[in-house]
Amino acid sequence: MLENKDQSRTSLSQLGEFGLIEHLTKNFTINQESTLKSIGDDAAVLNFGDKKAVISTDLLVEGVHFDLAYMPLKHLGYKAVVANVSDICAMNATPTQITVSVAVSNRFPLEALEELFEGITLASKIYNVDVIGGDTTSSQKGLIISITAIGEANLEDIVYRNGAKENDLLVVSGDIGAAYMGLQVLEREKQVFQVNPNNQPVLDDYTYLIERQLKPEARNDIKELLEKLEIKPTAMIDISDGLSSEILHLCKQSNVGCNLYEEKIPVDPQLINVCEEFNLDITTVALSGGEDYELLFTIKMEDFDKIKGNPNFTVIGHMVAATEGNHLITRSNTKIELKARGWNALSE
Amino acid sequence: MLENKDQSRTSLSQLGEFGLIEHLTKNFTINQESTLKSIGDDAAVLNFGDKKAVISTDLLVEGVHFDLAYMPLKHLGYKAVVANVSDICAMNATPTQITVSVAVSNRFPLEALEELFEGITLASKIYNVDVIGGDTTSSQKGLIISITAIGEANLEDIVYRNGAKENDLLVVSGDIGAAYMGLQVLEREKQVFQVNPNNQPVLDDYTYLIERQLKPEARNDIKELLEKLEIKPTAMIDISDGLSSEILHLCKQSNVGCNLYEEKIPVDPQLINVCEEFNLDITTVALSGGEDYELLFTIKMEDFDKIKGNPNFTVIGHMVAATEGNHLITRSNTKIELKARGWNALSE
């Protein structure tokens, strides 16, 4: 969605690569003490002292990961940062810096890139991460965004995927499935628009779902919340590909099985209404949707009392021996095998 | 250049994203003590202790940065790592880790990606960097590679672009311009091939140039060489875009001017012969060529005796006051303004 289509455009080639980088990065500020050197040299320099550096990277491709027909560029920039920050949060680390590389085809005017970087700048402020480098170049087709996020943590605070033990409780933050249904709503509106461009969409019943799709937030609050509760998760992962797929990752890497209870999966009331409207099964959407950027983690059973009733967290199951396998216990108390049906960027 | 075109292909979608990543990364080994956690989690964890982390990132796009008609995928993978390692070397730091993200269109079979990762694996071994993460996804068109390199250094060893002072000497490692002429030779062969596919290219006279283009090396030896000579550069940059463009970066960021002596610019004898054959001016090629991945740095004048006659280094000029500007002193002793004519990925 390129706004202001009729304004005069500045072509990227006029600016040149260095001019463009200078132009796009002039709003970035440095907030982290550990950022000793940021954009403007061959590389960035970070001072972690006794802290450990945590690094994660993502490559987002137009037509594969996003559709500019309903994803405004500012939101896209914001979401691209969120997705990476979320990976750092999933290590129980604190996001501190990001690098941002962008390739665009000539169809993008400068103003489009500015919108994108507005979203990136906003997210970097909200999540208090410094943009410490990057690369800007042209592409043969479409927009490509590559972000690397760096975080810091004390070694003893870092949580991996492989620490879950039998009898640990499986916990999820927030609610699940809304981002996927937001996408379904937007896809439908796109098709309506193609048939009748004068149709004004009424999206009041879908605001939460659409916001979860277009402007998701990373759970950088969870680390502190858990510290206050004096809970250290035994394993943790973020939910980018769908709950079932992420649970299976945790189980595989921790060498345990799990029982997930259908009735426990937290969903928003709006999701329930819209699933009914779309004739989709709520549990399927929650298990396979993806892009929720909530955190999924395991805690020791003795920590149950600390987390019980906390509105931020829901206990959705528990870990069992690997030999018992991974199962969903349905509302009708049927035990069915849990399978990964998460989103696959490489499927045809 | 996809080799073995007639073998049966494994489609990427058969493997799925996680299967593909597992498949492609199985040859990576961990060599750095500081790599606490590598591929297989949401993010990588690096232990720098009192060392500082140095991070750099690059995005390479098919048809913009490389042409698979003459760039074999293994070489491309190698070169992509080299380009990033070179950025870390240009900080006078030691490369320690990289992340590698790749997006490919469906026209690429698994075997093509394997070749690419063979080159990446080889370079990671030669430069002793751990591949600690990445992302693999599909693209709408062509191949896209995003690499982030991380290095470590003691704070007092790091060299920035902005430390050059008036009277400092301007020094370059190795020789310049060969990579660009290698590209010209390959472009010509591509055209010959298009006219007559049966023509067997005879490239014996161009081996050095072609190697500089297809398999460049990063100067990770320079840090140690300079330490042994007891020289700490005052400013440093790597030559990826062309000598003139890089000199101007150093001058601008250090707020100095410079005099560059045409007769001092180090070129390989093969470059001289081939420039004659192509009817190109050697100095223009050396100034504007790019992709040499040599290091350009400044040293204090009193260090001249330490570096004089060293086959690894050539003093090519000296820094002057910013008000004096940036000049090339030609062989005929004419002073002409030095202009950036480096490669620009965003030009049309």
Side-chain angles (χ1 to χ4, degrees):
Chain A
M1 203 182 289
L2 307 176
E3 288 168 17
N4 307 322
K5 279 204 176 63
D6 298 320
Q7 292 188 359
S8 72
R9 299 303 194 185
T10 316
S11 96
L12 296 181
S13 55
Q14 275 172 256
L15 279 172
E17 187 177 340
F18 300 114
L20 178 64
I21 291 174
E22 214 167 286
H23 181 87
L24 292 174
T25 58
K26 65 178 189 292
N27 292 326
F28 292 136
T29 54
I30 303 301
N31 300 312
Q32 296 288 340
E33 261 184 43
S34 61
T35 305
L36 297 179
K37 185 76 182 181
S38 178
I39 292 169
D41 219 296
D42 294 287
V45 182
L46 311 176
N47 180 5
F48 290 101
D50 291 332
K51 292 274 191 174
K52 306 306 168 231
V54 179
I55 319 259
S56 178
T57 192
D58 251 341
L59 188 58
L60 302 173
V61 180
E62 183 181 350
V64 178
H65 301 93
F66 56 87
D67 183 339
L68 290 177
Y70 46 69
M71 176 61 102
L73 281 159
K74 187 175 169 183
H75 286 242
L76 177 62
Y78 191 91
K79 186 171 175 174
V81 175
V82 163
N84 279 276
V85 161
S86 177
D87 279 330
I88 302 297
C89 296
M91 304 297 289
N92 205 35
T94 305
T96 47
Q97 292 92 4
I98 54 171
T99 66
V100 179
S101 294
V102 173
V104 281
S105 69
N106 286 331
R107 83 166 211 263
F108 287 84
L110 175 62
E111 287 73 8
L113 276 183
E114 285 175 334
E115 270 185 57
L116 181 74
F117 275 73
E118 247 184 74
I120 291 170
T121 306
L122 179 63
S124 71
K125 280 186 182 152
I126 286 180
Y127 290 100
N128 196 26
V129 291
D130 295 335
V131 183
I132 54 150
D135 197 6
T136 311
T137 186
S138 61
S139 77
Q140 286 189 297
K141 191 177 178 189
L143 172 62
I144 298 141
I145 306 170
S146 174
I147 293 188
T148 297
I150 301 139
E152 61 177 29
N154 295 315
L155 185 59
E156 62 272 22
D157 291 336
I158 295 174
V159 177
Y160 297 108
R161 292 181 181 178
N162 64 7
K165 298 268 181 291
E166 222 179 306
N167 298 322
D168 280 356
L169 300 174
L170 185 64
V171 186
V172 68
S173 66
D175 61 80
I176 303 294
Y180 176 81
M181 278 314 292
L183 184 63
Q184 301 315 306
V185 171
L186 290 166
E187 287 274 7
R188 185 176 66 180
E189 290 311 317
K190 181 183 168 186
Q191 280 162 20
V192 170
F193 179 82
Q194 282 166 347
V195 175
N196 179 7
N198 294 319
N199 186 61
Q200 283 295 318
V202 181
L203 297 172
D204 294 352
D205 293 343
Y206 313 106
T207 45
Y208 178 69
L209 306 183
I210 291 170
E211 193 177 322
R212 291 284 280 179
Q213 170 59 225
L214 292 187
K215 194 166 174 290
E217 303 291 351
R219 299 305 304 261
N220 66 335
D221 55 334
I222 299 294
K223 184 173 190 286
E224 202 185 323
L225 281 172
L226 289 173
E227 272 166 14
K228 281 188 183 155
L229 296 171
E230 294 181 355
I231 294 174
K232 187 189 169 187
T234 52
M236 188 148 64
I237 193 169
D238 78 327
I239 304 177
S240 52
D241 289 336
L243 183 61
S244 62
S245 155
E246 310 297 5
I247 290 176
L248 293 175
H249 279 303
L250 272 195
C251 288
K252 190 184 170 191
Q253 296 207 21
S254 296
N255 196 28
V256 291
C258 81
N259 287 332
L260 168 69
Y261 294 84
E262 183 182 15
E263 61 178 353
K264 302 289 187 190
I265 298 171
V267 292
D268 188 83
Q270 208 170 73
L271 180 74
I272 299 172
N273 294 337
V274 178
C275 276
E276 206 163 291
E277 185 187 332
F278 277 70
N279 204 17
L280 286 173
D281 177 57
I282 299 163
T283 304
T284 306
V285 167
L287 288 178
S288 311
E291 297 199 282
D292 293 311
Y293 301 111
E294 294 293 342
L295 295 181
L296 176 76
F297 56 95
T298 51
I299 60 170
K300 288 181 190 148
M301 197 184 267
E302 57 256 40
D303 287 335
F304 176 66
D305 283 342
K306 299 179 189 166
I307 213 164
K308 193 176 56 181
N310 191 309
N312 294 291
F313 304 112
T314 311
V315 177
I316 57 175
H318 60 89
M319 310 321 264
V320 296
T323 49
E324 290 186 44
N326 310 295
H327 292 94
L328 175 73
I329 317 295
T330 67
R331 282 196 183 79
S332 58
N333 212 22
T334 315
K335 200 170 177 176
I336 58 174
E337 198 189 333
L338 192 64
K339 287 189 175 157
R341 299 191 201 278
W343 186 76
N344 185 338
L346 291 174
S347 64
E348 279 168 314
Chain B
M1 204 182 288
L2 307 176
E3 287 168 18
N4 308 322
K5 278 204 175 63
D6 298 320
Q7 291 189 359
S8 71
R9 299 302 194 186
T10 317
S11 97
L12 297 181
S13 54
Q14 274 173 255
L15 278 171
E17 187 175 342
F18 300 113
L20 178 64
I21 291 173
E22 213 165 288
H23 182 86
L24 293 173
T25 58
K26 66 179 186 295
N27 292 326
F28 292 135
T29 54
I30 304 301
N31 300 312
Q32 296 290 341
E33 263 184 41
S34 61
T35 305
L36 297 180
K37 186 76 182 181
S38 177
I39 292 169
D41 219 297
D42 294 288
V45 182
L46 310 175
N47 179 5
F48 290 102
D50 291 333
K51 293 274 190 172
K52 306 308 167 227
V54 179
I55 319 260
S56 177
T57 192
D58 250 342
L59 188 59
L60 302 173
V61 180
E62 183 182 349
V64 179
H65 301 93
F66 55 88
D67 183 339
L68 291 177
Y70 45 71
M71 176 61 102
L73 281 158
K74 187 176 169 182
H75 286 243
L76 177 62
Y78 191 92
K79 185 171 176 173
V81 175
V82 162
N84 278 275
V85 161
S86 178
D87 279 329
I88 303 297
C89 296
M91 304 296 290
N92 206 34
T94 305
T96 46
Q97 292 91 6
I98 54 170
T99 67
V100 180
S101 295
V102 174
V104 280
S105 69
N106 286 331
R107 84 166 211 264
F108 287 84
L110 175 62
E111 287 73 9
L113 276 183
E114 285 176 333
E115 272 185 56
L116 180 73
F117 274 73
E118 249 184 74
I120 291 169
T121 306
L122 180 62
S124 71
K125 280 185 183 154
I126 286 179
Y127 290 100
N128 196 26
V129 290
D130 294 336
V131 183
I132 55 149
D135 198 5
T136 311
T137 187
S138 62
S139 78
Q140 287 189 298
K141 190 177 179 190
L143 172 63
I144 298 140
I145 306 171
S146 174
I147 293 189
T148 296
I150 300 137
E152 60 176 31
N154 294 316
L155 186 58
E156 62 272 22
D157 290 336
I158 295 175
V159 178
Y160 297 108
R161 291 182 182 178
N162 64 7
K165 299 266 181 290
E166 222 178 306
N167 298 322
D168 280 357
L169 300 175
L170 185 64
V171 186
V172 69
S173 67
D175 61 79
I176 302 294
Y180 176 83
M181 278 315 290
L183 183 63
Q184 301 315 305
V185 171
L186 290 166
E187 286 274 7
R188 185 177 67 178
E189 289 311 316
K190 180 183 169 185
Q191 281 162 21
V192 171
F193 178 82
Q194 281 166 346
V195 175
N196 179 7
N198 294 317
N199 186 61
Q200 283 295 317
V202 182
L203 297 172
D204 294 352
D205 292 343
Y206 313 107
T207 45
Y208 178 68
L209 306 183
I210 291 171
E211 193 178 322
R212 290 284 280 180
Q213 169 59 223
L214 293 186
K215 196 168 173 290
E217 302 292 351
R219 299 304 305 260
N220 66 335
D221 55 333
I222 299 294
K223 183 173 192 287
E224 202 185 323
L225 280 171
L226 289 173
E227 272 166 14
K228 281 187 183 155
L229 296 171
E230 294 180 353
I231 294 174
K232 187 188 170 186
T234 53
M236 187 148 65
I237 193 169
D238 78 326
I239 304 178
S240 52
D241 289 336
L243 183 61
S244 63
S245 156
E246 310 297 5
I247 290 176
L248 293 174
H249 278 303
L250 272 194
C251 288
K252 190 184 169 191
Q253 296 206 20
S254 295
N255 195 28
V256 291
C258 82
N259 287 332
L260 168 69
Y261 293 86
E262 183 182 17
E263 61 178 354
K264 301 289 189 191
I265 299 171
V267 292
D268 187 83
Q270 207 169 71
L271 182 74
I272 299 171
N273 293 337
V274 177
C275 278
E276 206 163 291
E277 185 186 333
F278 277 71
N279 204 17
L280 286 172
D281 177 57
I282 298 164
T283 303
T284 305
V285 166
L287 287 177
S288 312
E291 297 198 285
D292 292 311
Y293 301 111
E294 294 294 341
L295 295 181
L296 176 76
F297 55 95
T298 51
I299 60 170
K300 288 180 189 149
M301 198 184 266
E302 58 257 40
D303 286 335
F304 176 66
D305 284 342
K306 298 180 189 165
I307 213 164
K308 193 176 56 179
N310 190 309
N312 294 291
F313 303 112
T314 311
V315 177
I316 57 174
H318 60 87
M319 311 321 265
V320 297
T323 48
E324 290 186 44
N326 310 295
H327 292 94
L328 175 73
I329 317 295
T330 67
R331 283 195 183 78
S332 58
N333 212 23
T334 314
K335 201 170 178 176
I336 58 175
E337 197 189 333
L338 192 64
K339 288 190 174 158
R341 298 191 201 278
W343 186 75
N344 185 339
L346 291 174
S347 64
E348 278 167 314

